[in-house]
Amino acid sequence: MSLALRRAPRMRVAEFLEVIRDRPDEERWELLDGEAVLAPPPFERHQLIVTNLAMALYPLARARGGRSLIGFGLLNDEIDDCAPVADVVVRCGPLLPGGHARDPIVVAEVLSPATLHIDRGRKAEFYQSLRTLRTYLIVDQDEARVEVWSRGDGPDWSLRVLGLNDAIPLPDLGGEVPIAALYHGIPL
């Protein structure tokens, strides 16, 4: 005799957005590979890096008519089972009515031990599928190290790994962000 395990069907973006519509703002829900996932609250170190990065990006984004947003969701019309929430998103254009965008220019994730494999795996794949995205940052929280994934107008991505004395080049925002600014107030 054999047993078959029944797996719940994969949730789609429209259903996911309906399910989380009335959830409290402090709950950070993501849809990853068709599964709704509630992220645990991040540590203060993580949040300080996120805040430092968003503040460093803000003047560059504002000069281009955009803004830097913390904990903002992303959608892709071509991928219907994934709606991740990035640590930092830079986007331009009019304000959106909800908490998800389809048009980021820069996306950043600050690595946490619990999300390391997702940030480098499924989320990275998703982010790099977004047509408007030009830069994806993976920021280490334990050492001054930033992976800068970037692309021009073509489909190919390039990787640079930068350290404390470097600056993140952001040509689409017309400037750069010193990596030391991300770690301000954080012992390394």
Side-chain angles (χ1 to χ4, degrees):
M1 178 168 146
S2 66
L3 284 175
L5 295 176
R6 185 182 302 193
R7 215 176 151 175
R10 294 168 78 94
M11 188 178 288
R12 300 291 176 208
V13 168
E15 178 185 2
F16 169 74
L17 294 176
E18 185 63 32
V19 166
I20 67 166
R21 178 192 323 239
D22 296 326
R23 302 300 314 156
D25 286 346
E26 62 271 9
E27 290 183 5
R28 185 171 163 167
W29 285 93
E30 299 180 286
L31 181 65
L32 301 172
D33 293 327
E35 182 179 345
V37 178
L38 176 61
F43 292 120
E44 186 173 11
R45 180 182 189 93
H46 176 277
Q47 287 303 85
L48 185 54
I49 295 169
V50 167
T51 301
N52 288 345
L53 177 57
M55 288 173 46
L57 289 168
Y58 179 78
L60 298 175
R62 186 171 180 198
R64 301 284 178 162
R67 57 216 148 270
S68 58
L69 306 163
I70 295 175
F72 209 71
L74 296 170
L75 299 174
N76 183 337
D77 291 332
E78 297 172 16
I79 300 174
D80 195 34
D81 67 348
C82 196
V85 175
D87 286 326
V88 179
V89 172
V90 174
R91 66 170 300 275
C92 296
L95 292 178
L96 298 171
H100 290 81
R102 290 175 168 82
D103 58 353
I105 299 168
V106 177
V107 170
E109 289 288 355
V110 176
L111 295 179
S112 297
T115 64
L116 175 72
H117 67 285
I118 296 169
D119 294 339
R120 290 185 182 280
R122 182 63 181 119
K123 280 187 166 185
E125 290 173 17
F126 178 88
Y127 297 149
Q128 291 176 356
S129 75
L130 295 165
R131 291 186 183 130
T132 61
L133 188 67
R134 295 293 169 250
T135 305
Y136 173 47
L137 305 173
I138 299 177
V139 182
D140 196 297
Q141 71 172 297
D142 295 320
E143 66 177 293
R145 181 178 190 276
V146 178
E147 295 175 25
V148 181
W149 290 90
S150 59
R151 69 172 166 198
D153 293 327
D156 297 327
W157 288 88
S158 63
L159 170 64
R160 289 179 60 193
V161 179
L162 304 176
L164 185 62
N165 298 320
D166 297 317
I168 301 166
L170 297 163
D172 293 289
L173 295 179
E176 61 184 25
V177 171
I179 291 183
L182 278 58
Y183 297 96
H184 178 76
I186 297 175
L188 295 171

